[in-house]
Amino acid sequence: MTQTPVLVPPDAATGSSVDPAEIARFAAMADEWWDPTGKFKPLHKFNPVRLTYIRDRLAQHFGRDPLSGKPLAGLRLLDIGCGGGLVAEPMARLGANVVAIDASAKNIGIASNHAERMGLAIDYRHTTAENLVAAGEKFDAVLSLEVVEHVADVAGFLGNCGTLVRSGGAMVVATLNRTPKAFLLAIVGAEYVLRWLPRGTHEWSKFVRPGEMSEALRAPGLAVTHLTGVAYNPILDVWRLSRDLDVNYMAFAVKA
């Protein structure tokens, strides 16, 4: 049975890293989270490769068999910026005890309702990473996927995310690199030519270089141990891991 979502007052879901305009933009599309042909179609296409990466990296780090039924069993996992639950639900199915947070109350309501209908116990909360840090929460694994490029304070946000990782834990970050290639493909191509995403979804100036991410994560005691690019194959219509970090990439970081 799904836990009742923790709906806090609106001001509790704000903080130095929250960008109200970004929250409003995604809240306006919230009803389409679980429509694989709707406005979040790119995330549905992108999801399999990132879910496999998360599963395999966490399993390796914690000494688990990634192909076992529930390789993340017993791990307390936080999904920051969970949206409609596209990652939180698979993590719960892999055995993790999932806490999923979002600064949009509408997203949390949709995610909680969907999880309940799927029979999944996920602790959804309308709150922020800053608030969890203030409460002294700690997690075995923290996920921040396609979120950091939408926050107001990148260093502050990643610092809070890292603080939430317990000693011996790990973190996965997925974002976009601030390169000319990323501008051409992720903004001009995806938003204006192919129209995969609504125009204005991304701001190139908010994209994060791997070096900037590594530096921000060092402050709370994490070290990036693995980086991988994620590239789209238009012939097969699939996303795959790649050595090319110029556009989409994922980072795995650990805390000693």
Side-chain angles (χ1 to χ4, degrees):
M1 183 175 177
T2 305
Q3 297 184 36
T4 302
V6 179
L7 296 179
V8 297
D11 60 349
T14 62
S16 61
S17 69
V18 173
D19 186 329
E22 295 282 4
I23 301 305
R25 180 178 295 119
F26 284 95
M29 300 186 289
D31 290 335
E32 298 193 50
W33 274 109
W34 289 96
D35 179 1
T37 63
K39 291 180 180 178
F40 291 102
K41 179 179 178 179
L43 278 182
H44 284 270
K45 289 282 188 181
F46 194 50
N47 226 17
V49 68
R50 65 180 182 173
L51 292 175
T52 300
Y53 180 81
I54 294 166
R55 180 200 65 188
D56 291 352
R57 283 286 152 185
L58 289 179
Q60 182 182 54
H61 179 71
F62 291 104
R64 311 289 183 83
D65 177 1
L67 300 181
S68 65
K70 294 186 180 297
L72 305 186
L75 297 180
R76 190 169 191 242
L77 182 146
L78 173 66
D79 181 11
I80 298 175
C82 64
L86 299 186
V87 172
E89 289 199 8
M91 293 297 106
R93 290 190 177 94
L94 291 173
N97 298 318
V98 179
V99 175
I101 68 173
D102 201 282
S104 165
K106 188 173 183 180
N107 284 345
I108 289 297
I110 288 171
S112 181
N113 178 270
H114 192 273
E116 185 170 4
R117 287 188 283 116
M118 296 297 105
L120 296 170
I122 297 173
D123 183 0
Y124 280 111
R125 307 182 193 180
H126 174 216
T127 189
T128 63
E130 289 92 339
N131 289 335
L132 294 187
V133 169
E137 298 250 22
K138 294 291 181 182
F139 299 86
D140 298 299
V142 172
L143 310 180
S144 173
L145 311 178
E146 284 70 52
V147 174
V148 68
E149 69 270 21
H150 298 288
V151 303
D153 176 7
V154 171
F157 173 74
L158 289 174
N160 281 314
C161 292
T163 299
L164 291 167
V165 180
R166 71 160 176 83
S167 179
M171 181 174 172
V172 180
V173 183
T175 190
L176 288 153
N177 201 347
R178 195 169 67 255
T179 63
K181 184 176 179 180
F183 179 81
L184 288 173
L185 295 182
I187 295 181
V188 177
E191 296 183 19
Y192 290 84
V193 178
L194 297 174
R195 297 183 180 180
W196 285 350
L197 301 168
R199 293 183 180 183
T201 296
H202 293 113
E203 293 180 37
W204 184 78
S205 62
K206 288 187 173 183
F207 290 2
V208 182
R209 293 172 178 155
E212 296 168 344
M213 179 189 296
S214 296
E215 182 177 354
L217 290 177
R218 276 198 293 270
L222 282 92
V224 174
T225 60
H226 189 266
L227 287 166
T228 183
V230 188
Y232 178 67
N233 184 321
I235 297 175
L236 298 178
D237 190 26
V238 295
W239 289 86
R240 290 180 173 176
L241 298 184
S242 166
R243 294 181 181 179
D244 184 357
L245 304 177
D246 285 349
V247 187
N248 294 85
Y249 71 96
M250 293 188 285
F252 187 81
V254 300
K255 181 179 282 190

